[in-house]
């Protein structure tokens, strides 16, 4: 009998692994619909959908290993990181999905709300929040929407050698800012940004990338704390914010 491994579990959703099959249980039907549709449309390697009976979705494991994990230096080669950049460019060059993405106004309002909470709750010092709120301003500008993954953490990109073998977790996919994807991919891995940009093959505004690093970290901390994760672990979100001081 195959062992059942709990990959992640919180009140929003859970992912279990049984052998080479991942079973995702998501109470939000719309989010699961987006994941399946995005994988169908994406011109990059994605997991095979084995079956779907809402709220459960069964996916085949992709080959290879994750590009890395937030909080630990990645052992993947520079070529693998460049390949990840090239993969992102292929995605961004694809037709934009027809469903709505997150608007600039909503993102700015969320940022203000989370900064207020971080200071008011005593979770972070006011000067750390204020400095990163200032850095985040660079990301709050109009952009031309692309087909964005929306949650392109390095643990969601799988490689084998120097090739990308799969990209997982598409629930946040939709029209979005290209530089947000690049920023999430390199969050906590700043030394890999040059490799990613080289593979991406286009001019990138580094101030905007840094802005998204700060913004992403500021808005994620409360969710992480409330769902049992530790944003204060070495190399994770709070350290990303401290690096901007």
């Amino acid at each position: 009998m195959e062992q059942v491994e709990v990959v992640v579990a919180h009140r929003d959703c859970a992912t279990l692994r049984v052998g080479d099959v991942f079973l995702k249980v998501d109470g939000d039907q719309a989010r699961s619909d987006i994941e399946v549709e995005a994988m169908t449309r994406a011109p990059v390697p994605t997991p095979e959908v084995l079956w779907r009976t809402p709220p459960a979705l069964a996916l085949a494991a992709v080959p290879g290993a994750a590009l890395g994990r937030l909080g630990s230096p990645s052992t993947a080669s520079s070529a693998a990181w460049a390949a990840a950049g090239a993969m992102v460019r292929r995605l961004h060059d694809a037709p934009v999905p027809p469903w709505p993405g997150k608007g600039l106004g909503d993102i700015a309002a969320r940022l203000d709300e989370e900064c207020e909470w971080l200071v008011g709750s005593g979770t972070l010092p006011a000067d750390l929040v204020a400095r990163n709120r200032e850095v985040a301003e660079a990301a709050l500008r109009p952009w031309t929407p692309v087909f964005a993954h929306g949650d392109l953490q390095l643990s969601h990109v799988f490689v084998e050698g120097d090739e990308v073998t799969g990209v997982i977790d598409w629930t946040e996919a939709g029209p979005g800012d290209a530089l947000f994807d690049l920023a999430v991919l390199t969050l906590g891995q700043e030394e890999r940004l040059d490799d990613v940009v080289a593979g991406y093959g286009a001019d990138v505004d580094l101030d905007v990338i840094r802005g998204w690093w700060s913004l992403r970290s500021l808005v994620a901390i409360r969710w992480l704390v409330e769902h049992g994760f530790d944003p204060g672990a070495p190399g994770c979100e709070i350290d990303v914010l401290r690096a901007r001081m």
Side-chain angles (χ1 to χ4, degrees):
M1 179 179 295
E2 298 276 10
Q3 285 192 325
V4 177
E5 174 190 355
V6 178
V7 179
V8 63
H10 47 75
R11 63 173 178 260
D12 293 335
C13 62
T15 301
L16 309 175
R17 179 170 188 168
V18 185
D20 289 330
V21 176
F22 285 86
L23 183 64
K24 302 186 71 171
V25 181
D26 194 330
D28 187 334
Q29 183 66 40
R31 187 165 53 202
S32 184
D33 289 345
I34 285 175
E35 176 160 32
V36 173
E37 183 65 19
M39 288 191 295
T40 300
R41 292 172 175 268
V44 301
T46 63
E48 177 189 359
V49 176
L50 300 176
W51 53 263
R52 187 183 185 202
T53 305
L57 171 66
L59 301 170
V62 297
L67 195 58
R69 301 284 176 185
L70 184 62
S72 301
S74 170
T75 59
S77 67
S78 293
W81 278 90
M87 175 276 297
V88 179
R89 181 62 183 273
R90 289 196 302 275
L91 177 64
H92 291 172
D93 285 344
V96 179
W99 56 88
K102 295 177 181 177
L104 181 57
D106 291 337
I107 293 171
R110 170 84 186 283
L111 175 61
D112 289 340
E113 178 184 343
E114 295 303 323
C115 287
E116 182 179 350
W117 180 85
L118 289 167
V119 175
S121 64
T123 302
L124 292 180
D127 62 339
L128 181 62
V129 174
R131 170 56 182 154
N132 279 276
R133 176 63 182 81
E134 179 183 344
V135 173
E137 192 67 31
L140 298 175
R141 86 284 175 229
W143 61 76
T144 300
V146 299
F147 188 164
H149 181 278
D151 190 22
L152 199 63
Q153 303 175 44
L154 70 165
S155 59
H156 292 167
V157 178
F158 280 68
V159 296
E160 198 165 52
D162 298 337
E163 301 292 331
V164 174
T165 54
V167 182
I168 66 171
D169 284 2
W170 291 82
T171 56
E172 300 296 321
D177 180 12
L179 298 191
F180 177 73
D181 271 353
L182 296 179
V184 175
L185 179 62
T186 55
L187 186 75
Q189 305 280 336
E190 297 184 28
E191 70 281 1
R192 300 295 195 161
L193 181 57
D194 287 346
D195 294 328
V196 170
V197 171
Y200 192 72
D203 291 336
V204 169
D205 189 328
L206 298 183
D207 286 338
V208 174
I209 294 284
R210 297 184 186 101
W212 278 123
W213 284 339
S214 289
L215 198 156
R216 166 80 172 192
S217 299
L218 288 168
V219 302
I221 289 173
R222 175 164 36 170
W223 187 94
L224 292 167
V225 170
E226 291 178 348
H227 288 77
F229 300 99
D230 183 10
C236 293
E237 284 80 3
I238 294 177
D239 275 355
V240 171
L241 297 176
R242 287 176 177 147
R244 308 275 73 80
M245 298 296 285

